[in-house]
Amino acid sequence: MKINGNDVTLDAEPRTLLVNFIRENAGLTGTHWGCDTSNCGTCVVLIDGKPVKSCTQLAAMAGGHEVTTVEGLATADGLDSVQEGFIQCHGLQCGFCTPGMMLTARALLNKNPDPTEEVIREAISGQICRCTGYATIVRSIQWAASKDRETAVSLEGANA
Amino acid sequence: MQVPAPLEYERATSVDHAIALMERLGDEARIVAGGHSLIPMMKLRLANPEYIIDINDLREELGHITITDSEVRIGALATHQELLESKELAAVLPIFADAEKVIADPVVRNRGTLGGSLCQADPSEDLSAVCDALGAQCVIRNSSGERVIEMHDFHQGPYETAVADGEMLTEVRIPRRPNSSSAYHKVERRAGDWAVASAGAAIQLADDGTILDGRVGLCAVGPNLTNVQPISDALRGQVPSEELYARVGEIAAANANPATDTRGTAAYKTHLAKELTIRSLRKAVARAQGQNV
Ligand SMILES: Cc1cc2nc3c(=O)[nH]c(=O)nc-3n(C[C@H](O)[C@H](O)[C@H](O)COP(=O)(O)OP(=O)(O)OC[C@H]3O[C@@H](n4cnc5c(N)ncnc54)[C@H](O)[C@@H]3O)c2cc1C
Ligand code: FES
Ligand code: FES
């Protein structure tokens, strides 16, 4: 499979769960492993751009697909706007839920650059945060959305 | 950490290939679609398949939502999210969007499929109630061909379906009827949870405004109680009214046989069976009358 754009080919038992493959075989421990029962969403990664709970997939099922983990959000140009938003608006306290929250947020903004608060809350409704009470997470995602829109406008300006 | 028991994994390259693999491997083989029911069961060792046959590459054969003048055909691999987002589907069968909004959470909906939901045959599973209310037909394929069975023959008990070893569900077909509509209501403890109880209704009106045909599917109020025949009998030929819905709600309650568990008491769930039947009938009729509700 591709993880964060890199080809990753490693032997693993067919019963290996994707979350374990990412953490233990590929050594990317940014993806957290929490409830282990498909409920908390801290293990969310993107598969072909869509958020998926990686504790509820076999690694083999992701073979040949593009997986994005939290380590893949930042680029050589700097942090992703969602990561910046979480810094600016205190979107995390302990940070346990954060990788999953940020990936779901990125997928949402790629699909819908201007989501309402209600849409944001629905998008993260399968993920649990025990610290923030969600308000700051929502604000962080809104911050990232407006940053993305500004960037889009200035890019358009530059191309005009 | 929960890990499934050792297994062999193979990807099917076509429906025929999947069926050939199942025939060869027998009852030790299981199909994985979204994996969102099967993998949790494997982690708990409630399911210990020796072979896993991944059908996710068969989207071309099994991922469709096709709407013709006479019917709707949905492939077994259509995901909850696709059923939720299809505007064409919502226009003809609004019950799907009603239900999908409240099935699991958005991340689970990206993977869970129609076929996996029906084949899991969990008594708390919402799409079975939806398909039953709609009078859907299930297309089951094996190496000698296809057979089509009615939804009410599909479920044979909790977690048991008419799909035998060496067979798979490929498609669900729903007839389109004039002057008809549908609706779904669910009560859940919190966002993303399974139903405390839910009910779906599909209604077809005659030209004079009476009910030509009506069905209600219930979920989570008894083992495989997805379609209640006495309700259809009580609705047929009647003029839609609040009194009728109340009477039919009582029939739903009388047929419900829920268990008390952490989601609620049997009495509460029975009450919900009644109330949610009334609400979904009211909405389905209003929609069939052309109201935008
Ligand atoms: C946190 C969470 C919350 C949920 N909440 C709800 C809810 O509120 N309401 C609800 O209805 N569901 C809920 N679900 C279940 C969810 O809808 C599952 O996606 C669904 O039950 C199974 O679909 P799947 O594609 O993941 O099936 P899988 O897990 O892949 O398969 C389930 C079973 O069906 C068999 N199977 C799959 N496809 C076929 C086929 N084409 N032919 C023959 N056999 C097949 C498999 O072998 C397996 O035995 C929830 C799940 C989770 C994890
Ligand atoms: S660890 Fe996957 S959902 Fe909690
Ligand atoms: S920041 Fe601690 S769980 Fe969300």
Side-chain angles (χ1 to χ4, degrees):
Chain A
M1 69 183 81
K2 269 207 161 112
I3 305 185
N4 304 327
N6 303 318
D7 275 314
V8 176
T9 305
L10 295 166
D11 280 330
E13 272 190 273
R15 63 170 164 162
T16 308
L17 298 167
L18 180 57
V19 65
N20 295 338
F21 182 84
I22 292 170
R23 288 176 58 87
E24 276 149 45
N25 299 61
L28 295 167
T29 52
T31 302
H32 290 168
W33 160 66
C35 68
D36 215 1
T37 59
S38 325
N39 283 292
C40 75
T42 191
C43 65
V44 164
V45 300
L46 305 185
I47 301 182
D48 300 330
K50 287 188 189 153
V52 174
K53 293 178 177 175
S54 62
C55 71
T56 317
Q57 293 288 280
L58 298 173
M61 294 168 76
H65 293 269
E66 305 240 355
V67 176
T68 308
T69 69
V70 67
E71 290 92 343
L73 278 176
T75 63
D77 298 334
L79 293 180
D80 187 276
S81 58
V82 168
Q83 291 171 305
E84 276 187 74
F86 273 68
I87 297 171
Q88 295 296 332
C89 305
H90 307 283
L92 65 146
Q93 288 179 22
C94 79
F96 193 69
C97 69
T98 314
M101 290 289 180
M102 293 202 297
L103 287 163
T104 300
R106 175 76 335 282
L108 171 68
L109 297 183
N110 288 348
K111 207 163 119 182
N112 178 354
D114 193 8
T116 60
E117 176 175 345
E118 201 189 333
V119 169
I120 294 174
R121 286 189 179 268
E122 165 68 12
I124 60 170
S125 64
Q127 289 161 251
I128 292 174
C129 176
R130 289 278 95 136
C131 303
T132 64
Y134 303 98
T136 55
I137 296 179
V138 173
R139 253 177 257 147
S140 305
I141 299 173
Q142 286 168 326
W143 189 97
S146 42
K147 168 91 190 281
D148 285 358
R149 291 197 301 275
E150 276 167 33
T151 314
V153 170
S154 63
L155 281 179
E156 266 171 37
N159 292 337
Chain B
M1 188 164 66
Q2 302 169 356
V3 181
L7 54 90
E8 299 286 327
Y9 169 92
E10 188 142 7
R11 275 191 195 187
T13 52
S14 67
V15 170
D16 289 335
H17 180 222
I19 289 168
L21 284 172
M22 282 190 288
E23 278 203 331
R24 181 155 58 80
L25 300 170
D27 64 1
E28 299 302 338
R30 286 285 270 278
I31 284 178
V32 68
H36 274 55
S37 290
L38 182 58
I39 293 173
M41 284 177 59
M42 286 162 54
K43 288 166 72 172
L44 296 169
R45 310 279 170 117
L46 293 172
N48 295 301
E50 283 176 26
Y51 301 93
I52 282 292
I53 302 167
D54 184 348
I55 59 169
N56 283 286
D57 286 349
L58 313 184
R59 297 257 324 153
E60 245 169 61
E61 279 181 276
L62 301 176
H64 55 281
I65 302 177
T66 310
I67 300 171
T68 69
D69 287 343
S70 60
E71 65 179 358
V72 175
R73 294 183 171 210
I74 307 178
L77 273 185
T79 63
H80 292 304
Q81 194 59 25
E82 288 161 348
L83 295 170
L84 176 60
E85 286 180 350
S86 167
K87 295 207 168 52
E88 298 76 21
L89 184 64
V92 293
L93 300 173
I95 190 171
F96 273 103
D98 284 356
E100 290 292 4
K101 265 181 224 143
V102 288
I103 290 179
D105 62 62
V107 181
V108 171
R109 293 201 288 262
N110 278 335
R111 295 300 291 184
T113 64
L114 171 64
S117 298
L118 298 189
C119 292
Q120 182 68 21
D122 187 310
S124 301
E125 191 280 308
D126 291 280
L127 287 181
S128 300
V130 167
C131 288
D132 229 324
L134 292 171
Q137 294 178 320
C138 300
V139 183
I140 297 174
R141 181 111 66 96
N142 58 33
S143 57
S144 44
E146 251 176 31
R147 60 199 177 97
V148 180
I149 63 167
E150 298 297 325
M151 193 63 211
H152 58 80
D153 295 325
F154 185 77
H155 286 130
Q156 309 203 325
Y159 309 102
E160 272 179 51
T161 70
V163 182
D165 288 344
E167 293 191 322
M168 65 184 285
L169 175 69
T170 54
E171 188 178 70
V172 169
R173 294 179 187 161
I174 300 147
R176 283 188 68 184
R177 304 162 203 252
N179 299 325
S180 71
S181 199
S182 52
Y184 198 75
H185 281 282
K186 166 171 170 176
V187 168
E188 53 188 355
R189 290 178 305 175
R190 56 179 164 77
D193 198 14
W194 296 83
V196 180
S198 37
I203 288 288
Q204 182 180 17
L205 297 176
D207 287 338
D208 64 2
T210 58
I211 295 172
L212 192 62
D213 191 25
R215 289 161 173 272
V216 168
L218 295 171
C219 159
V221 290
N224 295 90
L225 185 73
T226 47
N227 179 31
V228 191
Q229 189 55 41
I231 289 186
S232 300
D233 298 340
L235 287 169
R236 195 168 299 111
Q238 301 297 310
V239 178
S241 69
E242 285 298 321
E243 293 71 47
L244 177 67
Y245 308 152
R247 198 157 12 104
V248 169
E250 293 296 345
I251 302 176
N255 280 276
N257 185 18
T260 294
D261 61 16
T262 50
R263 288 195 170 78
T265 62
Y268 176 51
K269 294 181 189 182
T270 305
H271 167 75
L272 288 179
K274 175 175 111 189
E275 186 56 33
L276 298 178
T277 296
I278 293 173
R279 287 185 202 175
S280 50
L281 279 172
R282 189 186 290 140
K283 192 179 270 185
V285 168
R287 283 172 172 168
Q289 290 166 339
Q291 295 175 40
N292 192 9
V293 287

